[in-house]
Each structure stands twice: as structure tokens, then as C-alpha cells.
């Protein structure tokens, strides 16, 4: 566990206490990128050991640290490699959900702002995508990380995921995409018969949150401009009728009931536009992911546990068991961590230190490593450790399987 | 002696056997001698067929009735196999001859189209579309037989299941469009969707084969008879790519606003307007519009000035622009990174790749805009109501390029545009021609065509002279090719 000196606002907190050697040179061939002061962007950084990474971070004080792919050669030597042979071999499958992509459907905030009302969108996104990635695709090692400001990232670390090609990543991302269209498109979700099981599952999640999130908090059927926007997504005949009905019914929950009644009627009769109420729910709530982030095998993504330069918040991994109560505004900031570190050590902590007098140098190292436990980062690090352990176990399991197979011969 | 002749017989027999079937994976190259004239004729015919496929693919939904009808008549006209008749009937000479031609012409075009990434991509795309059409025309029994004969391990029961990651590549398209059921990484595919898997299989094999072919190119190119023809074949498909700018610096930045209204296609006009209004464009828009501007003649310095002055009016300060955005503009002009001089996007590329999402303004408005919004936009740009409905009709029929052409005709007050629109920069040049700035541009437009061909013939200039006999035939063939592609 490394922490930079207090007062350093560009600190990066890393938890690679144990580097999992999945294969030779895995770590050495991993690309890192640093964004330095004055927006200087440095790519193709790579390191031989954890210590080297630590030293470089302390020396350069990067504002942002991104993690890229595992390459065929050490990234920092890529210029010496014969052209064409330096290539990205594997990388975690990643997803980036950014709140600005929902600006057309949230009224509480816009652009870089978020609040507890629109944060629900992230909760919904995580539920839907996590389920799909696990149940539909069979992935097991998913790490969800708060980006530090206005979104979340998902790192899919299964070996099979790391080895996916660009085409495969793009197929997975598009399978998961339902909201399509830019500024010029009004209706961004269109459903056709039959509705794929994946969409049904996603709708089930959305329906759980829709009444509180959309009808109450975002009040989409309350204010006139919002109501008009929602009505614009419906077939013309339904829209006309509802415009009439809404004259007499002002309560959003009841208005939505009327919408559903219209939808039921439509489903029985017409072929076109029969799923409009589902389409509306999805357009307002379904996860919007940037396919381009997920497609690239060499795409770089912000490292977990780095500090967001604009907010100071740490990009912490999220324990999905506590997803409903996750509060982005309660995530520790770097100043907070520094303060916590500066606090005088308790008697208990001091006594633990004296126990390890044998090797001065080792003790200092170990104290440094234990320091995070005195901060609010403790629980996030613990969760991350559990995640890594699970991966290690499954990897060891694979190795055993492979060696067993070999013994059979 | 005896041994080798026996071997020869065996090969011819297996090839004869191959031609008994209407469809093949082109796994084995043809093993026979043919004349140069047959070599040329076969190649040219197949190229015409592939070009037809490309055009039909843009104007019609693939495998729709109109599409298949037109493709069938073209195949017939070019003497390629067009009907998967009963195998017994088809071993007669005509069907056999057609299949032989199909076999040989495919391999000849491989030679011509294996050299660059772009050529390979184009060739593979058209061959896959051709294969899809032919596979679709087979009777179900023939389809099964094809699968078995080519050792494709597909279960022929109504639902097949594959371990996702092992057959991942083949199932990708079906996953992407949610046409299959996924559970724990297993893909369940309905029988009728097997064709997608077969197509992907075909695509992979062809892609690998082309890579291998490219390696043996030097040997082929050393044959002076073949080199000129192969070079000409590979340039026939691409036409103008507007990467060679003869008008660099002829456009001044002050002209752009007025040009955007007069001579820009709708997509670029829209991007320009967005840029002026928001003082910003996202990456997709910057690429599409930036490369277009490069194509109409903006120099790197002008481009930097243009984007900088606009972005500064927005939320970006000069410093940030120089750090973050200037790099990507220089990149566009081939001055950074791997120094590829990117070519402006063709209509095909704009329509088919990178659809716009929330916050984007790129893409093709005829393809990507909601019809209602498109209508409003056209009204705003003062297109007549009858013109607008004509355009919307074309959009409904998915004829996006024709819709844009109609927009051209309406905004230039013309009955008939007299060109076939396939590139935004082409739109610009044609517009300038009509508006009178034309003479200089026209001359310069002819030069790129020729200089492209010249720069590609990397061989010694002695080559055409040496192949004296062939060159006359070649000249005729190439003239014919040129005129064919001009009309298309």
C-alpha cells in the first residue's frame, strides 16, 4: 500500500500489495499512462517492479493515472521494437457510464454535476449490466469502480474477457446497448417483437426504480416541458388522448397509470409502437455506455484508487452488496485521507509498532503499508483484496486443472 | 514420369469434382493453364459483378426481392453461375464453365486486392455479400450438404449451442444484434441463423488467405504481363478518394460560412452550423468535418486557425486547445503518430460506420436524423415543400445518397445532377462546378485520377513497353473498365 506524502494533491493510492503473476512479464508489459501538470500526457509507461512504479509516481506526481493493455513487449521500449510486432495482447473488458450522457433525460443536474436524485441512474446501470455480464455472458470477476466525479467504470477481469478481440468487445457492448441516437433523434429506444430475454430482465430492474426515480424525483410527468417530452415519445393517437386526460389528472403516479392503460390497449391491437411505455422507461433509465471505450483492446482507463483531479475524490471500488446505500458524496477525498493519516497514532497502533522492532527498514515498510487501515480507505481496500483473492483462487484452480490434464498423459 | 502424370490427373479430377457443387469456400486455388485474355476477361467480369454488389448494397436492403432480382440478372449477364440447379443437371458444360470462371476469377482478384488494408476490406466485404446471396439461394438440402462437405461442425438440430468463447468469432453478429439467447456464456442459435456463422467463417478464411497471398505478391509482380493488369484492377474500385488535394490554400477561411450554405452537402452544413453555434464538436464530428475540410483544400495551418478560433469562443482556452485539440488536427493531416494521411470519409463510410449518439452531430442526416427533424432542417434551409417530400420518400426507401443528390438538385436549381453521389467532397466539387468556379477545379479533378494510377505502378516504367503485345489488349480492357465505372 503506497501513499504519497501528505499535502500532495496529486497522490495516487495503490493497493498492489501482491502482484499476481498470471504469466511471465505480465506486470512488466502493462501500459500505464500519466497525465502530468499542464495537461502533459505521457503514454507507454511501464515498470519492472512495484517499487519502480511507486518511485516514478512520487517523482512525476501525475494528476491522472490510466491503465492500458498488456503488450507483446515492454511498452516503454515500444520504439525499439520492429514496427508491426508491438501489439496489445490482452486487456480487461471495460465499461464507462458517464452521467453527462443522460443530460437529455435528467432535470436535476446537467454536465458534470450529479446529485443523489440522478445517482439512481448509476445504481440502475450497475444492476442491469452486472446481471447481464454474469448471467448472460458468464463472467465472474467484475470490479465496479466509482470514477470520482460523475460516473462508474466496470472492469471485467476474467481471463476470457481479457483475451477478447475488438470485434468481440464491440459485440458485447452492442448487445448491452439499447439507447441509440444523437441530438437529432427523439425516440432513442425502439423495441420489436419478440422482446429478447435480456431486455425483459433489464426492464424488470428499471420498473423497480421507475416510480420513485422518474415519477417522483425527476417529476417527468409533472412539469409541462417534461410531460411534453414524454408524450413526444408516444404514438400520435395515444398522445392526443393522454393530452386530454392530463387536463383532469395532475398526479404523476396516476398519469403514469393512464399511460400504462393506453399501452395495454395498444398491445392487444396494433403492431406498431405497441411497447411505447417500455420504450419510455428505458429511454429515461436504461444504462448509456460508450461503445468506443469498451471496443478498444488498447484503450486506457482511469486506474482504480486514483484521485480525481477536479473533485479530489478517490476512485474507489464499489461493493455491490451496499449498492443501494452508496453515496458518491461520502467517498473519501485525498485531503480527508491526508488528515486521517496525520492524526496521532492511538496507543494500540503504537504498541503494534514496537512489536516489530527486529528489522527497522521492514517495520517502516510494513507501517507504511498498514497506514491505510487508519483511513476511510480501509473498507474499500478490504473489498478490493477480497476481489483479488477470488481471482487468485480461480486462477490457481485453472492451473490445477491444467496440470491435472497434463498428468493424464 | 508416370508418377507425375498420375498426380496431375488426380488434381484435375478433384477440381472437376469441385465444380459439381454450386457454392464453394475457395479453399483450393485453380490448377490449370489459361490464356492471358481469359485471365483478363474473367477478372474484369468478376470485378463488374462485385461493383454491382457494392452499388446494390447501398440502394437496396440486402437479400430483398429487388436486390436479388437485380443481382441475378447481372450474374446472368456476366455469365457467372446464378442458379443453384440440381447437381445432376448442372454437370453439363455450361454450368461447369460458369463455376470454373467463378473459381478462377476469385483467385485472380485475390492477387489484385490483397495488397493494402483498404483493398482487402473492400474485396472481403463484396465477396461476403456475394456468398450470402448465393448461400441464400441454395435449397435447404443443398445448404446442409454444403455444411457437411466443408466439415463445418454445426449441429443440424433446430437449436445449436456453442461454448461462447470458442465459437465467439462466428456468433458475434448474432450476439451484437441480440438474435440469440445467451446463458452463462453459451450461445443458443436458431437453425435459420446458421448462415451468419457460415458467413463469418467465410470471412475469416478469406481474410487469412489474403494475408498469405500478399506475401507471395512480389513473385507475381515480377511477371510483366500481369503487373499492369493487376494494378489497374485494384484501382478500379476506389475511384477518387480526395486525398490528393490540388486546391490546397485556394479556400480562405472567410469563405467557409458562405460555402457551407452553397456547396456543402447537408451533413457538413449541419456540422458547420453546430460548430458555429456550440463552438465545439465532439470527436466524431471533428473527424468527419475536419477531413472534409482537408479534402476541399484547407491547409494544416488554416485548419488549426479555423478550429482554434471557434473553440476559443466556447469553453476552451487557447492553451487547452493547443494541448488537447491541436494534436488531433495535426494527426488528421498525417503529422503525428503513425503519420497516416487520413482520407476524407466517403458517403458509404459516413452512413455505415460510427452512428452518432447523444451530443453528436456527425453522420448522414438522411440516415441518422429523425424524419421530422430532417424535414424541419430542410424547411429552415428553404427547400421547397415538394422537394422535401421527394427527399423524405427517398429516405424512407433507404436511398440516402439519392436523397442527398436530390438535395443537391434542389439547392442548385437543377433537374438532374448528372453524377452519382458517393462522397461529400465530390458533392463540393460538383457544386463548385455548377456555381461557376468550375473550370480550374475540373482540370485538377482529372489529374488526381491519373496521378493515382501512376504512383501505384511502382514497377519500372519499362514494364508496359516490354509487354508490347498484351498492352494493346490491356488498353482496350482498361478503357472498357473506365467507362463502366464512369457510368456507375
Amino acid at each position: 500500500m503506497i501513499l504519497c506524502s501528505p499535502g500532495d494533491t496529486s497522490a495516487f493510492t495503490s493497493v498492489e500489495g501482491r502482484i499476481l503473476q498470471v504469466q511471465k512479464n505480465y506486470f512488466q508489459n502493462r501500459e500505464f499512462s500519466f497525465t502530468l501538470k499542464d495537461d502533459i500526457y505521457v503514454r507507454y509507461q511501464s515498470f519492472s517492479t512495484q517499487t519502480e512504479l511507486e518511485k516514478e509516481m512520487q517523482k512525476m506526481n501525475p494528476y491522472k493515472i490510466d491503465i492500458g493493455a498488456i503488450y507483446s513487449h515492454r511498452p516503454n521500449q515500444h520504439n525499439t521494437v520492429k514496427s508491426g510486432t508491438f501489439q496489445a495482447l490482452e486487456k480487461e473488458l471495460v465499461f464507462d457510464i458517464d452521467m453527462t450522457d443522460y443530460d437529455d433525460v435528467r432535470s436535476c443536474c446537467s454536465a458534470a454535476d450529479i446529485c443523489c436524485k440522478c445517482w439512481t441512474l448509476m445504481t440502475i446501470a450497475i444492476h442491469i449490466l452486472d446481471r447481464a455480464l454474469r448471467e448472460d455472458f458468464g463472467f465472474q470477476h467484475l470490479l465496479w469502480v466509482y470514477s470520482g466525479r460523475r460516473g462508474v467504470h466496470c472492469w471485467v477481469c476474467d481471463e476470457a474477457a481479457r483475451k477478447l478481440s475488438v470485434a468481440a468487445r464491440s459485440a458485447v457492448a452492442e448487445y448491452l446497448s439499447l439507447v441509440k441516437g444523437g441530438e437529432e433523434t427523439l425516440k432513442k429506444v425502439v423495441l420489436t417483437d419478440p422482446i429478447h430475454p435480456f431486455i425483459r430482465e433489464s426492464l424488470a430492474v428499471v420498473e423497480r426504480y421507475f416510480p420513485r426515480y422518474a415519477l417522483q424525483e425527476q417529476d417527468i410527468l409533472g412539469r409541462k416541458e417534461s410531460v411534453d417530452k414524454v408524450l413526444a415519445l408516444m404514438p400520435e393517437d395515444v398522445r392526443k388522448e393522454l393530452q386530454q386526460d392530463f387536463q383532469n389528472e395532475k398526479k404523476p403516479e396516476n398519469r403514469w397509470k393512464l399511460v400504462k392503460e393506453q399501452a395495454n390497449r395498444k398491445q392487444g391491437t396494433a403492431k406498431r409502437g405497441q411497447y411505447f411505455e417500455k420504450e419510455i422507461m428505458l429511454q429515461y433509465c436504461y444504462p448509456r455506455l460508450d461503445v468506443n471505450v469498451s471496443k478498444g483492446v488498447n484503450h486506457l482507463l482511469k486506474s482504480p484508487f486514483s484521485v480525481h483531479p477536479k473533485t479530489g475524490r478517490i476512485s474507489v471500488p464499489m461493493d455491490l452488496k451496499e449498492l443501494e446505500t452508496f453515496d458518491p458524496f461520502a467517498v473519501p477525498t485525498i485531503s480527508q485521507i491526508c488528515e486521517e493519516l496525520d492524526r496521532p497514532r492511538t496507543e494500540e497502533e503504537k504498541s503494534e509498532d514496537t512489536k516489530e522492532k527486529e528489522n527497522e527498514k521492514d517495520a517502516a515498510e510494513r507501517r507504511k503499508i498498514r497506514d491505510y487501515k487508519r483511513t476511510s480507505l480501509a473498507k474499500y481496500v478490504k473489498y478490493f483484496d477480497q476481489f483479488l483473492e477470488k481471482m487468485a483462487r480461480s486462477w490457481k484452480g485453472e492451473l490445477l486443472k491444467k496440470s491435472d490434464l497434463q498428468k493424464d498423459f | 514420369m508416370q508418377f507425375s502424370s498420375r498426380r496431375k490427373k488426380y488434381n484435375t479430377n478433384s477440381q472437376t469434382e469441385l465444380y459439381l457443387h454450386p457454392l464453394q469456400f475457395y479453399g483450393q486455388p485453380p490448377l490449370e493453364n489459361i490464356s492471358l485474355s481469359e485471365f483478363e476477361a474473367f477478372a474484369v467480369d468478376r470485378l463488374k459483378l462485385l461493383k454491382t454488389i457494392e452499388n446494390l448494397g447501398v440502394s437496396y436492403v440486402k437479400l430483398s426481392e429487388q436486390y436479388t432480382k437485380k443481382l441475378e440478372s447481372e450474374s446472368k449477364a456476366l455469365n457467372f453461375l446464378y442458379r443453384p440447379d440440381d447437381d445432376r443437371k448442372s454437370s453439363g458444360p455450361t454450368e461447369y464453365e460458369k463455376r470454373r470462371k467463378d473459381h478462377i476469377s476469385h483467385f485472380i482478384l485475390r492477387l489484385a486486392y490483397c495488397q493494402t488494408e483498404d483493398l482487402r476490406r473492400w474485396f472481403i466485404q463484396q465477396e461476403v455479400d456475394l456468398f450470402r446471396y448465393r448461400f441464400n439461394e441454395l435449397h435447404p438440402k443443398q445448404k446442409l450438404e454444403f455444411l457437411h462437405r466443408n466439415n463445418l461442425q454445426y449441429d443440424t438440430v433446430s437449436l445449436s449451442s456453442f461454448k461462447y468463447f470458442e465459437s465467439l468469432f462466428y456468433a458475434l453478429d448474432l450476439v451484437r444484434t441480440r438474435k440469440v439467447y445467451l446463458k452463462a456464456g453459451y450461445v443458443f442459435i436458431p437453425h435459420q441463423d446458421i448462415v451468419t456463422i457460415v458467413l463469418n467463417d467465410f470471412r475469416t478464411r478469406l481474410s487469412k488467405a489474403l494475408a498469405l497471398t500478399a506475401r507471395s505478391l512480389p513473385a507475381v509482380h515480377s511477371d510483366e504481363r500481369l503487373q499492369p493488369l493487376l494494378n489497374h484492377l485494384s484501382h478500379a474500385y476506389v475511384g477518387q478518394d480526395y486525398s490528393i488535394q490540388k486546391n490546397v490554400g485556394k479556400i480562405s477561411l472567410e469563405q467557409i460560412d458562405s460555402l457551407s450554405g452553397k456547396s456543402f452537402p447537408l451533413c457538413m452544413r449541419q456540422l458547420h452550423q453546430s460548430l458555429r453555434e456550440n463552438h465545439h464538436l465532439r470527436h466524431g464530428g471533428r473527424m468527419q468535418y475536419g477531413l472534409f475540410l482537408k479534402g476541399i483544400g484547407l491547409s494544416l495551418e488554416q485548419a488549426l486557425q479555423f478550429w482554434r478560433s471557434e473553440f476559443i469562443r466556447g469553453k476552451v482556452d487557447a492553451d487547452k486547445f493547443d494541448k488537447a485539440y491541436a494534436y488531433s488536427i495535426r494527426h488528421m493531416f498525417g503529422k503525428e503518430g503513425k503519420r497516416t494521411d487520413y482520407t476524407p470519409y466517403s458517403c458509404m463510410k459516413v452512413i455505415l460506420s460510427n452512428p452518432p449518439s447523444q451530443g453528436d452531430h456527425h453522420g448522414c442526416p438522411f440516415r441518422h436524423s429523425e424524419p421530422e427533424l430532417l424535414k424541419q432542417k430542410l424547411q429552415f434551409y428553404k427547400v421547397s415543400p415538394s422537394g422535401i417530400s421527394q427527399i423524405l420518400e427517398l429516405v424512407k426507401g433507404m436511398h440516402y445518397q439519392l436523397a442527398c443528390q436530390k438535395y443537391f438538385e434542389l439547392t442548385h436549381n437543377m433537374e438532374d445532377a448528372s453524377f452519382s453521389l458517393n462522397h461529400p467532397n465530390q458533392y463540393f466539387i460538383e457544386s463548385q462546378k455548377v456555381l461557376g468556379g468550375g473550370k480550374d477545379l475540373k482540370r485538377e479533378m482529372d489529374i488526381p485520377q491519373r496521378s493515382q494510377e501512376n504512383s501505384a505502378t511502382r514497377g519500372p516504367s519499362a514494364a508496359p513497353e516490354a509487354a508490347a503485345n498484351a498492352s494493346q489488349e490491356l488498353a482496350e480492357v482498361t478503357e472498357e473498365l473506365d467507362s463502366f465505372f464512369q457510368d456507375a
Side-chain angles (χ1 to χ4, degrees):
Chain A
M1 178 64 188
I2 310 159
L3 281 172
C4 296
S5 53
D8 183 351
T9 54
S10 61
F12 167 77
T13 62
S14 141
V15 199
E16 306 236 324
R18 186 183 31 205
I19 294 173
L20 223 49
Q21 283 287 47
V22 181
Q23 71 194 42
K24 219 175 135 199
N25 293 331
Y26 211 79
F27 179 70
Q28 290 79 5
N29 288 347
R30 169 80 73 175
E31 180 190 1
F32 291 85
S33 79
F34 290 166
T35 306
L36 310 175
K37 200 165 86 139
D38 292 333
D39 277 339
I40 298 177
Y41 184 64
V42 192
R43 264 195 83 172
Y44 299 115
Q45 302 291 288
S46 61
F47 310 96
S48 313
T49 62
Q50 176 187 335
T51 317
E52 213 182 281
L53 167 62
E54 191 185 325
K55 289 213 169 83
E56 192 69 10
M57 276 173 5
Q58 288 171 330
K59 180 169 129 204
M60 310 287 281
N61 275 336
Y63 276 32
K64 284 202 272 185
I65 300 180
D66 290 344
I67 297 182
I70 307 289
Y71 283 81
S72 50
H73 306 76
R74 291 181 182 220
N76 65 5
Q77 293 173 355
H78 74 285
N79 285 321
T80 65
V81 175
K82 186 164 138 209
S83 104
T85 49
F86 177 73
Q87 38 186 308
L89 296 180
E90 30 177 293
K91 191 181 79 72
E92 292 72 13
L93 172 63
V94 296
F95 296 94
D96 181 348
I97 321 275
D98 188 328
M99 200 73 89
T100 41
D101 290 338
Y102 294 80
D103 278 358
D104 59 319
V105 290
R106 54 174 184 150
S107 56
C108 48
C109 313
S110 71
D113 298 326
I114 59 167
C115 69
C116 53
K117 282 195 259 182
C118 50
W119 185 258
T120 311
L121 288 169
M122 294 295 119
T123 310
I124 295 176
I126 295 177
H127 275 306
I128 291 179
L129 296 177
D130 196 74
R131 183 215 69 80
L133 289 167
R134 286 183 197 278
E135 290 178 17
D136 293 3
F137 288 95
F139 293 124
Q140 294 175 332
H141 303 287
L142 274 62
L143 185 72
W144 286 94
V145 180
Y146 171 54
S147 76
R149 186 164 60 156
R150 61 186 193 214
V152 294
H153 300 157
C154 178
W155 295 75
V156 186
C157 305
D158 297 56
E159 184 178 351
R162 294 200 305 266
K163 298 201 159 122
L164 289 179
S165 64
V166 171
R169 285 166 208 256
S170 149
V172 174
E174 299 217 28
Y175 174 92
L176 299 169
S177 300
L178 282 181
V179 181
K180 309 213 168 125
E183 297 282 323
E184 319 292 320
T185 317
L186 272 182
K187 201 152 168 56
K188 300 193 162 83
V189 181
V190 176
L191 299 178
T192 50
D193 233 356
I195 295 197
H196 193 276
F198 162 74
I199 300 182
R200 285 202 188 279
E201 295 283 346
S202 308
L203 268 169
V205 175
V206 169
E207 275 163 5
R208 281 201 330 251
Y209 290 88
F210 191 78
R212 180 170 59 87
Y213 165 74
L215 297 176
Q216 281 176 31
E217 290 169 357
Q218 295 292 327
D219 199 25
I220 65 174
L221 285 181
R223 296 169 307 122
K224 185 167 193 310
E225 317 86 62
S226 326
V227 175
D228 285 341
K229 271 199 203 157
V230 177
L231 288 175
L233 300 176
M234 303 187 201
E236 202 170 329
D237 50 337
V238 173
R239 194 186 322 151
K240 291 209 167 99
E241 280 196 47
L242 286 176
Q243 263 163 346
Q244 284 277 50
D245 295 340
F246 285 5
Q247 308 265 22
N248 308 322
E249 180 53 73
K250 302 291 180 189
K251 260 188 103 189
E253 285 80 7
N254 294 344
R255 282 180 165 181
W256 186 250
K257 254 201 211 127
L258 291 170
V259 173
K260 283 208 278 201
E261 274 164 31
Q262 287 279 355
N264 282 333
R265 240 174 287 162
K266 199 85 169 161
Q267 250 190 285
T269 59
K271 265 243 146 180
R272 282 174 128 231
Q274 50 173 317
Y275 293 121
F276 66 87
E277 119 273 12
K278 298 185 176 15
E279 289 163 350
I280 290 172
M281 284 197 282
L282 293 173
Q283 183 153 338
Y284 276 81
C285 302
Y286 185 86
R288 300 175 177 206
L289 44 96
D290 185 349
V291 177
N292 290 319
V293 167
S294 309
K295 262 191 346 202
V297 182
N298 52 6
H299 188 98
L300 292 138
L301 190 63
K302 185 171 211 279
S303 171
F305 287 105
S306 51
V307 181
H308 197 292
K310 301 235 165 76
T311 61
R313 294 206 192 272
I314 315 279
S315 288
V316 292
M318 299 165 68
D319 186 347
L320 294 200
K321 291 202 212 83
E322 299 177 10
L323 183 56
E324 304 303 319
T325 52
F326 181 85
D327 180 3
F329 299 102
V331 169
T333 62
I334 185 63
S335 345
Q336 191 184 330
I337 305 286
C338 291
E339 265 174 58
E340 288 166 348
L341 280 176
D342 281 343
R343 265 192 303 215
R345 305 173 82 82
T346 64
E347 283 307 316
E348 194 186 309
E349 288 163 350
K350 282 194 198 142
S351 69
E352 267 185 41
D353 289 348
T354 50
K355 275 190 210 150
E356 304 180 8
K357 262 284 167 64
E358 305 100 71
N359 192 330
E360 277 289 325
K361 187 169 176 247
D362 258 4
E365 281 299 311
R366 261 176 273 140
R367 196 190 317 140
K368 212 163 76 161
I369 290 170
R370 266 202 324 277
D371 272 351
Y372 77 85
K373 290 202 181 139
R374 300 167 56 219
T375 69
S376 323
L377 273 186
K379 72 167 182 177
Y380 299 105
V381 176
K382 182 167 170 201
Y383 173 70
F384 186 58
D385 269 340
Q386 288 168 349
F387 172 78
L388 291 178
E389 253 167 77
K390 195 164 157 248
M391 274 188 72
R393 256 180 283 139
S394 92
W395 173 67
K396 281 188 192 139
E398 282 300 313
L399 273 188
L400 278 173
K401 254 195 253 170
K402 277 193 197 142
S403 66
D404 278 349
L405 281 172
Q406 280 162 358
K407 282 191 190 134
D408 279 359
F409 283 103
Chain B
M1 250 329 220
Q2 253 185 335
F3 176 75
S4 60
S5 67
R6 223 180 287 144
R7 261 226 293 205
K8 221 183 180 179
K9 228 204 228 162
Y10 171 77
N11 284 335
T12 326
N13 275 343
S14 77
Q15 202 158 278
T16 319
E17 208 253 304
L18 183 64
Y19 296 158
L20 286 177
H21 308 285
L23 193 57
Q24 57 157 311
F25 256 162
Y26 306 108
Q28 283 170 272
L31 295 165
E32 51 174 290
N33 297 324
I34 62 171
S35 66
L36 263 185
S37 59
E38 211 176 26
F39 186 91
E40 288 159 11
F42 279 7
V44 167
D45 277 354
R46 193 183 192 86
L47 190 53
K48 285 184 183 168
L49 182 62
L50 295 187
K51 213 46 183 103
T52 305
I53 287 177
E54 182 185 27
N55 289 332
L56 289 178
V58 173
S59 316
Y60 303 99
V61 173
K62 290 178 195 173
L63 300 190
S64 66
E65 209 188 306
Q66 286 166 306
Y67 179 92
T68 47
K69 263 213 186 87
K70 295 206 172 209
L71 189 44
E72 189 179 312
S73 71
E74 184 67 20
S75 304
K76 194 171 177 182
L78 292 167
N79 279 320
F80 277 104
L81 57 95
Y82 64 91
R83 202 171 286 285
D85 293 317
D86 189 305
D87 280 348
R88 258 154 286 190
K89 278 193 234 146
S90 65
S91 28
T94 356
E95 212 54 45
Y96 177 96
E97 276 303 304
K98 289 179 194 167
R99 289 165 190 183
R100 173 178 168 269
K101 176 173 174 171
D102 177 63
H103 187 205
I104 294 174
S105 60
H106 171 89
F107 277 89
I108 297 175
L109 286 192
R110 277 198 195 181
L111 293 174
Y113 281 84
C114 63
Q115 300 175 62
T116 72
E117 192 57 52
D118 270 349
L119 289 174
R120 285 200 279 245
R121 208 179 303 143
W122 184 86
F123 181 67
I124 292 175
Q125 183 57 52
Q126 312 321 318
E127 285 284 339
V128 165
D129 284 346
L130 177 61
F131 188 90
R132 181 191 292 117
Y133 158 72
R134 287 174 171 174
F135 188 80
N136 196 50
E137 295 284 295
L138 293 176
H139 306 306
K141 205 179 77 142
Q142 290 171 311
K143 283 183 184 163
L144 277 182
E145 200 220 1
F146 176 83
L147 293 177
H148 284 139
R149 193 172 9 106
N150 287 283
N151 293 319
L152 297 171
Q153 300 291 349
Y154 306 131
D155 212 320
T156 53
V157 183
S158 53
L159 275 184
S160 314
S161 87
F162 292 74
K163 179 133 208 313
Y164 183 65
F165 303 118
E166 279 150 23
S167 68
L168 188 66
F169 193 88
Y170 304 143
L172 281 183
D173 267 354
L174 295 175
V175 169
R176 178 197 309 272
T177 50
R178 264 175 256 116
K179 292 217 174 75
V180 292
Y181 179 63
L182 282 195
K183 186 85 183 164
Y186 282 77
V187 180
F188 294 83
I189 305 173
H191 195 50
Q192 61 263 29
D193 287 330
I194 287 293
V195 63
T196 313
I197 301 201
V198 176
L199 279 179
N200 277 321
D201 201 342
F202 178 73
R203 187 190 287 265
T204 325
R205 292 181 192 218
L206 186 52
S207 185
K208 284 194 188 138
L210 283 180
L212 283 174
T213 311
R215 282 189 221 160
S216 51
L217 260 193
V220 174
H221 270 179
S222 65
D223 189 325
E224 295 154 346
R225 303 166 296 171
L226 299 183
Q227 192 203 35
L229 175 67
L230 291 177
N231 275 328
H232 197 94
L233 282 175
S234 64
H235 284 84
Y237 99 91
V238 77
Q240 278 264 44
D241 66 357
Y242 304 93
S243 61
I244 301 174
Q245 304 136 249
K246 284 287 160 178
N247 323 318
V248 179
K250 287 233 168 105
I251 309 270
S252 77
L253 294 183
E254 292 75 45
Q255 290 177 284
I256 293 187
D257 278 325
S258 95
L259 281 175
S260 79
K262 286 191 286 184
S263 294
F264 282 10
L266 194 60
C267 55
M268 302 303 173
R269 188 175 186 178
Q270 181 175 292
L271 281 166
H272 181 74
Q273 193 178 335
S274 267
L275 177 62
R276 286 286 191 230
E277 278 171 17
N278 304 319
H279 309 302
H280 188 269
L281 271 185
R282 279 194 173 183
H283 182 257
R286 292 201 301 272
M287 287 301 284
Q288 186 175 322
Y289 189 40
L291 288 172
F292 169 77
L293 289 175
K294 181 172 90 152
I296 68 173
L298 240 58
S299 68
L300 173 58
E301 290 68 41
Q302 284 179 305
L304 284 169
Q305 202 191 328
F306 175 73
W307 291 99
R308 193 172 195 268
S309 63
E310 199 55 54
F311 272 52
I312 287 181
R313 285 194 206 124
K315 297 189 196 152
V316 176
D317 63 55
D319 260 351
K320 170 137 196 228
F321 178 85
D322 288 332
K323 272 167 213 156
Y325 297 99
Y327 176 89
S328 73
I329 295 172
R330 283 198 303 276
H331 204 277
M332 251 188 251
F333 279 75
K335 302 283 182 239
E336 297 282 357
K338 58 182 172 145
R339 318 248 154 184
T340 316
D341 202 4
Y342 291 95
T343 56
Y345 297 169
S346 63
C347 288
M348 207 80 90
K349 180 155 183 168
V350 171
I351 291 172
L352 295 175
S353 51
N354 195 20
S357 7
Q358 177 62 26
D360 287 324
H361 295 274
H362 64 263
C364 171
F366 301 103
R367 162 79 178 86
H368 297 118
S369 275
E370 200 74 20
E372 203 40 55
L373 288 175
L374 178 61
K375 182 171 167 189
Q376 286 172 28
K377 198 169 307 201
L378 292 169
Q379 283 167 338
F380 179 74
Y381 290 142
K382 301 204 173 53
V383 178
S384 70
S386 65
I388 294 183
S389 32
Q390 281 177 29
I391 290 182
L392 291 178
E393 267 308 306
L394 288 168
V395 166
K396 213 154 129 195
M398 290 168 48
H399 306 305
Y400 309 118
Q401 282 153 275
L402 292 176
C404 192
Q405 232 170 278
K406 186 99 227 118
Y407 170 77
F408 181 97
E409 285 160 11
L410 293 162
T411 52
H412 291 75
N413 270 316
M414 293 169 74
E415 274 296 318
D416 180 16
S418 75
F419 65 92
S420 216
L421 179 67
N422 56 44
H423 201 293
N425 287 86
Q426 176 196 20
Y427 184 109
F428 180 79
I429 290 179
E430 291 293 331
S431 169
Q432 288 286 289
K433 261 203 267 182
V434 168
L435 297 176
K439 295 203 197 95
D440 296 86
L441 281 170
K442 186 174 190 331
R443 228 182 295 129
E444 281 155 2
M445 204 179 69
D446 290 338
I447 298 173
Q449 187 97 35
R450 242 172 280 138
S451 69
Q452 252 181 342
E453 290 170 9
N454 285 339
S455 63
T457 321
R458 269 183 236 127
S461 51
E465 289 155 15
N469 290 335
S471 70
Q472 207 190 16
E473 283 176 17
L474 181 61
E476 283 162 14
V477 169
T478 57
E479 233 176 74
E480 194 201 283
L481 252 184
D482 273 341
S483 63
F484 176 77
F485 294 121
Q486 234 99 21
D487 295 336

